[in-house]
Amino acid sequence: MNTMKDSAKKTADKTQPESTTPLLSGAQIVVEGLVKEGVTHIFGIPGGACLPLFDAFYGSKLNLVLTRHEQGAAHMADGYARSTGRVGVCIATSGPGATNLVTGLATANMDSIPVVALTGQVATHLIGNDAFQEADATGVMRPVTKHNFMVKDVRDLARVIREAFYIARSGRPGPVHIDIPVDVQRAKTPFEWPETVRLRSYKPKMEGHPKQIQKAIELLENSEKPLLYVGGGAMLSGATQELIKLSDRADIPVVHTLMANGAFPFDHPNYVGVLGMHGKYSANIAMQNCDVLVSCGARFDDRVTGNLTSFSKQSKKIHIDIDPANIGKTVPVDVPLVGDVKSVVKVIAEKIKSAKHAAWRKQIQEWEDKHPLAFKPNSPVLQPQFLIQELHRLTKGEAIVATGVGQHQMWAMQWYASKSPKQFLTSGGLGTMGFGFPAAIGARFANPDKVVVCIDGDGSFQMTMSELATIVHEKAKVIIIVINNYFLGMVRQWQELFYKERFSASNLTTHGADNKKDGYPEAGSIHYLPDFIKFVEAYGVKGVRIFKNQEVEGAIKEAMASKGPFLIEAMISPEEKVFPMVPAGAGLDEIIVDMA
């Protein structure tokens, strides 16, 4: 008895066309479709329900990267996409393979990253029968993707692939999932690639409404304290030059979100800096005191607004976003502008009158001078801010930097100002620990000639460090900087500030204690599990552990000179905290600049 072969034969018979065009299997159609979409790399792991696909990849034009976990595959596809603007592709088998992709796809969905995820599925006649390694992948994926498909007829496959890539990259980008039963992968039909995509209910609006644009211009021309609030949508739109033109012409200062690091050049005279929970004092106070606020592809995230009742109360708000569902969702706006940020800002910049706002810029500079980002340069222990500042200097601000999530992510945001878009890769919306390392690997494949650095925390790195095998296997050089403070650092910071120093389950050392007295190592203690240097050496990766600021330059230079991947374990004090900080639920003007 061979039900899979019988099923495949029946499907093939049913779909046998009356044509002389050569027949391709479903798996071969997937390959042809991916090639036509310009795909260069696929990240994933084979399994029984997707073996026909992997067999078709063998010897094809596609570079297949064998990952060690499906979550890593999804993050690699994500990093590939973030660093290029192209669609990233990942693949997994049915059941647990598919469900392991969920965190990566949810991460991409929250940050609007174009990814296409392929999953194998049990044969069509077994769907719903609790077959081996069966899971309702489309049902699981639906809430965390922009769109998803289940393909039950091989004749639909080429069209679905074409539509999936179109949906993933157009409008507000996002991940699209295609579930392909194994018998559909084997079934054959002529390959017919649709030249165009027609989706009746999906028509992203790119151009802003002329009357709303005129209202926005009038508000800005009557403003004395305007502010551009730039978000990840501006990055995805490629709106950097248009933002510079608008800022120059109307003399508007610029603040940005975590997701927009690099969307506006940090060395521009109107650049203020990052805002939000761990943003700069000057950026946050400018947000509170501006009279016209222009949101460019940002969504008024709670980490940016703080307490909504006190958020920028006197400002008129213009909200530019390609997703109409985002406008007015959190903050009422005066001028809603649905459209692509690049397109809308271009029109505003061309039509707006030239202006100067010297007094407003002077005020912001005074706030900057009063509370600049700072650290203790003469500290006897290693300062993470100094480390990242040195990384910025030695890489000339040009490296692609991917981060995990936690304190190190915020330090990287504050001290690695990117020179251009698509340089700073981080999980902003979902806040996914473990994102940084595989995302850096994906970016490395997409940018083989650039320096790629993963800045991670000791807790975050441990979530996906099995991908060390992937970079060694694929000979992909990534510099890994693990900032080790012996704790889940951001959790510990909140426990110290808001939970009376009750360090419940945040201590990662071999002491394993949850209270300060019994489980509190000094900086430099090696009572840590695992020993990261020995761990990476087991994979054939070189590494060095550093304890002082004086050791930073040499370690970074050694890592940059290394022919292969290299790990720097930077031992810092558990006491080190991220400042400034707006406490959860507080207003932006209640920002804590330090503990002094």
Side-chain angles (χ1 to χ4, degrees):
M1 182 176 182
N2 190 329
T3 54
M4 294 181 74
K5 286 184 176 178
D6 292 344
S7 174
K9 184 174 184 302
K10 288 177 182 176
T11 306
D13 291 339
K14 183 176 67 174
T15 58
Q16 189 78 23
E18 296 178 358
S19 169
T20 57
T21 305
L23 302 182
L24 297 185
S25 70
Q28 291 170 317
I29 288 172
V30 170
V31 171
E32 292 299 317
L34 296 183
V35 170
K36 283 188 172 293
E37 290 291 345
V39 175
T40 59
H41 291 77
I42 304 174
F43 305 93
I45 308 176
C50 61
L51 275 180
L53 285 169
F54 276 78
D55 186 64
F57 294 151
Y58 191 83
S60 75
K61 297 178 181 178
L62 303 168
N63 296 300
L64 187 60
V65 178
L66 171 62
T67 67
R68 296 306 187 266
H69 193 282
E70 289 86 355
Q71 182 181 348
H75 291 326
M76 286 181 207
D78 183 315
Y80 181 98
R82 288 185 201 236
S83 65
T84 61
R86 302 198 296 269
V87 179
V89 179
C90 56
I91 184 169
T93 191
S94 62
T99 56
N100 281 345
L101 289 176
V102 169
T103 299
L105 297 182
T107 302
N109 195 45
M110 286 286 281
D111 292 343
S112 307
I113 305 303
V115 169
V116 168
L118 306 170
T119 55
Q121 182 55 277
V122 300
T124 50
H125 72 282
L126 293 174
I127 293 175
N129 287 350
D130 292 335
F132 176 68
Q133 289 196 333
E134 183 194 3
D136 179 7
T138 55
V140 170
M141 301 289 189
R142 189 167 294 122
V144 299
T145 54
K146 183 177 178 181
H147 195 71
N148 61 5
F149 297 92
M150 158 71 85
V151 184
K152 291 187 175 180
D153 189 328
V154 69
R155 291 172 296 186
D156 295 331
L157 196 47
R159 174 186 57 79
V160 165
I161 292 170
R162 185 82 165 91
E163 291 178 358
F165 276 80
Y166 175 73
I167 293 170
R169 67 163 71 95
S170 61
R172 178 182 178 180
V176 177
H177 168 230
I178 308 174
D179 202 27
I180 313 173
V182 68
D183 55 321
V184 175
Q185 297 172 38
R186 294 192 180 103
K188 292 187 176 182
T189 194
F191 176 62
E192 296 175 354
W193 185 246
E195 294 303 321
T196 58
V197 175
R198 291 189 179 88
L199 298 169
R200 284 190 298 176
S201 59
Y202 179 70
K203 293 180 179 176
K205 183 175 172 55
M206 304 300 286
E207 310 296 331
H209 193 285
K211 289 186 177 178
Q212 296 300 92
I213 289 178
Q214 187 56 40
K215 285 183 182 178
I217 291 172
E218 289 170 5
L219 274 183
L220 284 168
E221 288 181 342
N222 290 301
S223 167
E224 295 182 355
K225 298 187 290 185
L227 191 67
L228 293 182
Y229 156 41
V230 177
M235 182 87 75
L236 295 165
S237 172
T240 295
Q241 294 307 314
E242 287 72 20
L243 289 167
I244 293 172
K245 185 174 181 179
L246 175 58
S247 176
D248 284 341
R249 187 169 173 79
D251 196 24
I252 307 178
V254 178
V255 299
H256 66 85
T257 66
L258 167 69
M259 295 304 299
N261 189 353
F264 193 86
F266 66 85
D267 53 356
H268 190 283
N270 280 344
Y271 178 83
V272 179
V274 68
L275 79 160
M277 179 172 278
H278 292 292
K280 295 173 70 175
Y281 177 86
S282 55
N284 282 331
I285 302 304
M287 197 81 155
Q288 291 295 76
N289 288 277
C290 64
D291 60 6
V292 173
L293 178 62
V294 188
S295 171
C296 305
R299 57 190 172 91
F300 293 94
D301 182 85
D302 59 290
R303 288 289 174 114
V304 164
T305 63
N307 187 341
L308 285 173
T309 60
S310 62
F311 172 69
S312 194
K313 290 197 291 188
Q314 73 275 26
S315 67
K316 296 287 186 182
K317 297 174 182 66
I318 302 165
H319 192 169
I320 306 168
D321 203 301
I322 200 165
D323 183 355
N326 262 341
I327 296 180
K329 182 172 66 177
T330 305
V331 174
V333 298
D334 299 279
V335 181
L337 257 169
V338 180
D340 175 59
V341 173
K342 181 184 177 80
S343 169
V344 173
V345 172
K346 179 181 180 183
V347 176
I348 294 175
E350 289 172 347
K351 293 186 174 181
I352 198 167
K353 294 176 183 173
S354 178
K356 292 294 181 185
H357 299 101
W360 174 227
R361 289 178 55 193
K362 181 172 180 287
Q363 173 66 75
I364 293 175
Q365 186 59 52
E366 288 175 359
W367 289 325
E368 172 68 21
D369 295 342
K370 183 179 180 182
H371 293 297
L373 289 178
F375 59 91
K376 300 172 183 173
N378 298 320
S379 170
V381 295
L382 198 156
Q383 300 282 284
Q385 302 91 337
F386 176 79
L387 167 69
I388 297 167
Q389 187 182 59
E390 282 293 278
L391 178 70
H392 191 274
R393 180 178 69 84
L394 294 168
T395 59
K396 301 177 182 177
E398 296 175 348
I400 293 176
V401 172
T403 80
V405 168
Q407 287 181 310
H408 66 278
Q409 178 190 30
M410 297 296 105
W411 286 317
M413 172 190 76
Q414 292 175 340
W415 294 93
Y416 204 99
S418 299
K419 186 170 280 187
S420 58
K422 302 182 179 66
Q423 262 189 264
F424 192 80
L425 321 178
T426 197
S427 172
L430 198 63
T432 308
M433 289 178 68
F435 169 81
F437 183 40
I441 297 172
R444 176 65 187 180
F445 282 108
N447 303 271
D449 299 328
K450 293 187 177 179
V451 176
V452 179
V453 182
C454 167
I455 300 176
D456 226 332
D458 48 326
S460 192
F461 184 59
Q462 290 186 65
M463 292 199 170
T464 50
M465 62 185 182
S466 59
E467 301 303 339
L468 281 164
T470 303
I471 57 172
V472 172
H473 185 98
E474 300 288 341
K475 297 181 175 59
K477 179 180 174 179
V478 171
I479 297 173
I480 309 155
I481 299 176
V482 173
I483 297 179
N484 188 344
N485 65 352
Y486 313 87
F487 277 79
L488 297 173
M490 190 61 87
V491 174
R492 185 193 182 285
Q493 176 166 333
W494 281 51
Q495 289 171 333
E496 179 177 341
L497 297 178
F498 310 119
Y499 291 89
K500 302 178 180 178
E501 298 188 355
R502 291 160 59 85
F503 300 124
S504 178
S506 57
N507 186 334
L508 298 177
T509 71
T510 52
H511 294 286
D514 293 336
N515 61 69
K516 183 173 180 178
K517 184 177 292 183
D518 295 332
Y520 194 67
E522 296 297 324
S525 166
I526 58 170
H527 298 295
Y528 194 90
L529 192 67
D531 180 326
F532 283 109
I533 303 302
K534 289 182 179 176
F535 184 82
V536 299
E537 285 176 350
Y539 284 89
V541 175
K542 293 182 179 178
V544 62
R545 180 182 291 125
I546 59 175
F547 300 91
K548 299 176 181 178
N549 289 345
Q550 293 87 338
E551 298 172 296
V552 168
E553 181 176 353
I556 293 175
K557 285 184 175 178
E558 185 178 359
M560 291 176 68
S562 173
K563 292 183 178 178
F566 195 96
L567 180 137
I568 300 171
E569 185 182 12
M571 314 302 288
I572 70 168
S573 167
E575 296 279 2
E576 196 65 57
K577 285 180 277 295
V578 184
F579 287 115
M581 179 180 187
V582 178
L588 291 182
D589 43 11
E590 299 176 76
I591 188 170
I592 304 170
V593 293
D594 58 43
M595 295 296 287

